[in-house]
Amino acid sequence: MTETLLAIDCGSQSIRALLFAPDGTLISKVQKPITDYRSDNPGWSEIDPLILWELLGRCCRELWDRGADPAAVKAMSVTTQRGTQIAVDERGIPLRPAITWMDERIEDQQKPLPWLWKTIFGVAGLSRSIKSVRSECEVNWIAVNQPGIWKKTYKFLQVSGYLNYKLTDLFRDSTGAQVGYVPFDYKKQQWANANHFLWKLFAFKCSQLPELIEPGKPIGYVSEEAAQHTGLPEGLPVISAAADKACEVVGCGAVDASVGCLSYGTRATATIHSRKYFEVERPLPAYAGGIPRMFTPEASVILGYWMVNWFKEEFGHPEQEKAREIGSPVEVFFDDLLNSTPPGSHGLTLLPKWGRDNGRSTPVKGAIIGFGDVHTRGHIYRAIIEGITLELRRGLKRIERKSGEKIKVLRVSGGGSQSDAIMQITADIFGLPTERPHTFETAGLGAAIAASVGAGTHPDFTQAMQAMTRQNEVFKPDPKTVELYKQLFEEVYLPMPRRLAPLNKALRRISG
């Protein structure tokens, strides 16, 4: 019987059960869409956590229905979307819908900060950022608006902590999964000590937090109830992994800061694996990595490839119809749109700024400039891809400067990495060789690598990554196109936010 490793990857748009071999080969996969988000008020985004648990069970059971052997699974790990928060009682039952990372509600009715801390933040120039962080914190909103629920809250969990509890009956989560408005000391990779300023910002009590376990260490074992729900063997080891972005870096085989990792998902990100802690842009910390005591300093486009999906739904009906007619993946036809449009999109340039991000309670506004009668749907689509990539280039250059190490190669994960045209655009905008990992499921692979370490299949993360990761295609930058994008980046893209700021301010004032 060939041993396998099971990874559960619960993203923003779908949940997947993935079976990997010890050499990193993806053996079987079941994917279910997550469609039951609710928005009771403008800007809200919530989901019933039980839906995620139900989908997890369905994914696992379908794996076994397709012929995979649950008895062959040696260990499993969970990786999930970041920053989605769940309040539960002592039995792990959700007290209200989860507040997702896409939620934009704010709560300004906060208790005044102690005079000393208010003065310290003011001197450090962080007063506005601290105010935004407090107003956007999910716990603070619940404490003010739903005090009865907050009083009953026994634990406050990330999605990973909730699913780990459902699997093991233990309130435990990974150090690499703590991303969001929680009292986590990112530099020390542990809950903040009692004197840390974070306890002044958030309504948490220490007892409401789960026990933290390093990636690669056991969280617990599949319970009898979870075994019945999933078809997994009771007693199967559940190993700590990390959040999806951190697992993607592991699944890309990035062992040091010379490898730039791009994630083309709903939230598009650029990061490295660093042994040094540094902040790319305050107040955002360097998140914990998928390997113990490693960091993933990050730049992001908060709704990156969400914009790509928006374009496909609003303007991509011809391509979707062609794909249905011949039974081909729709991405093939969107690549045709990119390839039929020249680099630079005939002067059409997009600034991918939307939503709230980086501790700003005021929504950031984006723009597309340079319209002319030459422009088509293809130009708009290419401008979207180029704009997202240009913003990630800006962020990764900042990371490179702060790390002090030169990035020599890029590795790309997420849905966008499946497109050859997008991979070539990436290589040309960054001017770096750009590699596609052997599997699109790099977050799941990173979780499986953690499971392999915890189960003893591989002795440590270094050897596990050597055995389980490899690169397929390499896209080399075209020198002529690199020069064009360099000019676009420096002369047009970088000045856009500053020059558009007065107009955006006026728009906010006029529109309320």
Side-chain angles (χ1 to χ4, degrees):
M1 179 174 61
T2 302
E3 291 183 343
T4 58
L5 301 157
L6 175 64
I8 300 296
D9 181 2
C10 180
S12 302
Q13 299 183 51
S14 68
I15 185 167
R16 297 180 286 281
L18 307 154
L19 275 179
F20 288 93
D23 69 352
T25 300
L26 179 60
I27 297 171
S28 187
K29 164 184 171 179
V30 174
Q31 181 172 0
K32 302 290 183 185
I34 300 173
T35 59
D36 295 302
Y37 291 105
R38 49 186 277 189
S39 181
D40 294 342
N41 290 286
W44 288 23
S45 176
E46 299 182 334
I47 191 168
D48 182 352
L50 288 171
I51 291 172
L52 304 179
W53 177 238
E54 175 59 29
L55 290 173
L56 186 155
R58 287 171 55 191
C59 285
C60 288
R61 290 193 300 270
E62 192 168 320
L63 276 179
W64 323 136
D65 290 342
R66 292 183 182 182
D69 183 2
V73 180
K74 189 172 183 181
M76 68 176 297
S77 286
V78 173
T79 182
T80 70
Q81 57 181 278
R82 308 177 304 177
T84 293
Q85 312 284 0
I86 304 169
V88 302
D89 65 14
E90 292 186 15
R91 297 174 295 167
I93 297 174
L95 296 169
R96 67 174 320 285
I99 301 177
T100 82
W101 67 270
M102 297 174 282
D103 193 281
E104 294 185 348
R105 77 187 72 191
I106 60 173
E107 178 50 65
D108 289 326
Q109 303 302 314
Q110 305 293 327
K111 292 180 181 179
L113 287 170
W115 176 85
L116 178 60
W117 283 110
K118 189 174 182 179
T119 302
I120 291 172
F121 293 141
V123 171
L126 293 173
S127 295
R128 291 183 64 183
S129 294
I130 293 297
K131 181 180 178 181
S132 294
V133 165
R134 296 185 77 203
S135 68
E136 293 174 25
C137 174
E138 298 86 359
V139 162
N140 292 351
W141 187 93
I142 295 173
V144 171
N145 294 277
Q146 298 176 336
I149 287 177
W150 187 237
K151 188 176 181 180
K152 296 176 184 176
T153 299
Y154 180 67
K155 295 292 181 184
F156 202 69
L157 307 170
Q158 307 276 350
V159 173
S160 51
Y162 174 72
L163 294 180
N164 281 326
Y165 172 79
K166 295 295 287 184
L167 287 164
T168 66
D169 284 336
L170 296 170
F171 289 112
R172 293 176 176 173
D173 200 8
S174 171
T175 54
Q178 305 314 306
V179 177
Y181 299 118
V182 291
F184 184 72
D185 186 327
Y186 290 94
K187 192 171 186 178
K188 294 181 179 178
Q189 298 190 4
Q190 62 186 32
W191 294 127
N193 65 47
N195 298 320
H196 201 286
F197 75 87
L198 287 172
W199 296 103
K200 306 296 182 183
L201 306 187
F202 307 141
F204 282 101
K205 293 182 291 186
C206 183
S207 61
Q208 292 172 309
L209 301 169
E211 180 184 354
L212 296 183
I213 309 294
E214 285 188 340
K217 301 289 180 62
I219 278 182
Y221 302 90
V222 171
S223 67
E224 179 183 0
E225 183 178 351
Q228 293 175 355
H229 181 71
T230 61
L232 287 163
E234 183 180 353
L236 179 74
V238 179
I239 307 300
S240 175
D244 53 5
K245 300 298 184 183
C247 278
E248 285 181 357
V249 177
V250 175
C252 284
V255 295
D256 58 38
S258 69
V259 180
C261 295
L262 306 182
S263 175
Y264 287 164
T266 304
R267 183 182 188 121
T269 61
T271 187
I272 59 171
H273 240 157
S274 174
R275 296 191 180 278
K276 180 173 72 172
Y277 179 91
F278 61 89
E279 296 169 357
V280 181
E281 190 171 357
R282 301 181 77 183
L284 289 181
Y287 301 126
I291 301 174
R293 295 170 294 283
M294 293 286 280
F295 301 97
T296 54
E298 177 184 296
S300 68
V301 180
I302 189 169
L303 293 176
Y305 273 69
W306 169 89
M307 188 66 175
V308 173
N309 290 327
W310 170 84
F311 175 87
K312 290 178 179 179
E313 291 300 318
E314 298 296 330
F315 301 104
H317 300 294
E319 287 73 27
Q320 293 184 39
E321 185 61 33
K322 289 178 185 176
R324 279 192 294 267
E325 288 176 0
I326 66 173
S328 171
V330 69
E331 285 76 16
V332 173
F333 296 100
F334 284 104
D335 267 15
D336 290 344
L337 273 183
L338 294 175
N339 291 328
S340 63
T341 309
S345 305
H346 283 130
L348 197 65
T349 305
L350 177 136
L351 181 69
K353 299 284 188 177
W354 33 74
R356 292 187 178 93
D357 203 9
N358 194 25
R360 299 184 180 95
S361 59
T362 303
V364 182
K365 300 292 185 180
I368 304 180
I369 65 170
F371 272 110
D373 57 6
V374 69
H375 293 124
T376 65
R377 288 185 313 119
H379 291 90
I380 296 174
Y381 183 55
R382 186 168 185 120
I384 290 171
I385 300 299
E386 290 176 338
I388 293 169
T389 312
L390 287 165
E391 177 61 21
L392 292 180
R393 174 183 171 177
R394 185 191 73 83
L396 200 59
K397 286 294 182 184
R398 192 181 182 101
I399 290 171
E400 188 178 56
R401 287 196 300 272
K402 292 210 168 190
S403 75
E405 296 190 49
K406 192 74 173 174
I407 294 172
K408 300 175 182 178
V409 66
L410 298 177
R411 291 177 186 160
V412 186
S413 307
S417 68
Q418 297 179 91
S419 162
D420 286 357
I422 289 175
M423 292 292 286
Q424 188 59 54
I425 289 171
T426 303
D428 292 337
I429 285 179
F430 281 87
L432 289 170
T434 301
E435 299 176 343
R436 177 187 285 149
H438 78 275
T439 176
F440 154 66
E441 300 289 356
T442 49
L445 178 58
I449 288 171
S452 79
V453 174
T457 302
H458 299 294
D460 54 44
F461 274 94
T462 299
Q463 293 187 56
M465 292 166 73
Q466 289 174 349
M468 298 179 70
T469 68
R470 50 197 173 273
Q471 310 308 315
N472 274 358
E473 299 93 338
V474 179
F475 295 80
K476 297 182 179 180
D478 174 73
K480 184 177 179 181
T481 309
V482 168
E483 181 57 32
L484 183 151
Y485 280 132
K486 182 175 183 293
Q487 293 180 41
L488 179 65
F489 179 69
E490 295 176 351
E491 298 176 27
V492 180
Y493 187 80
L494 289 180
M496 278 179 71
R498 177 175 51 83
R499 294 183 179 180
L500 289 172
L503 296 178
N504 282 329
K505 185 177 180 180
L507 281 172
R508 286 195 297 270
R509 176 177 52 81
I510 293 167
S511 63

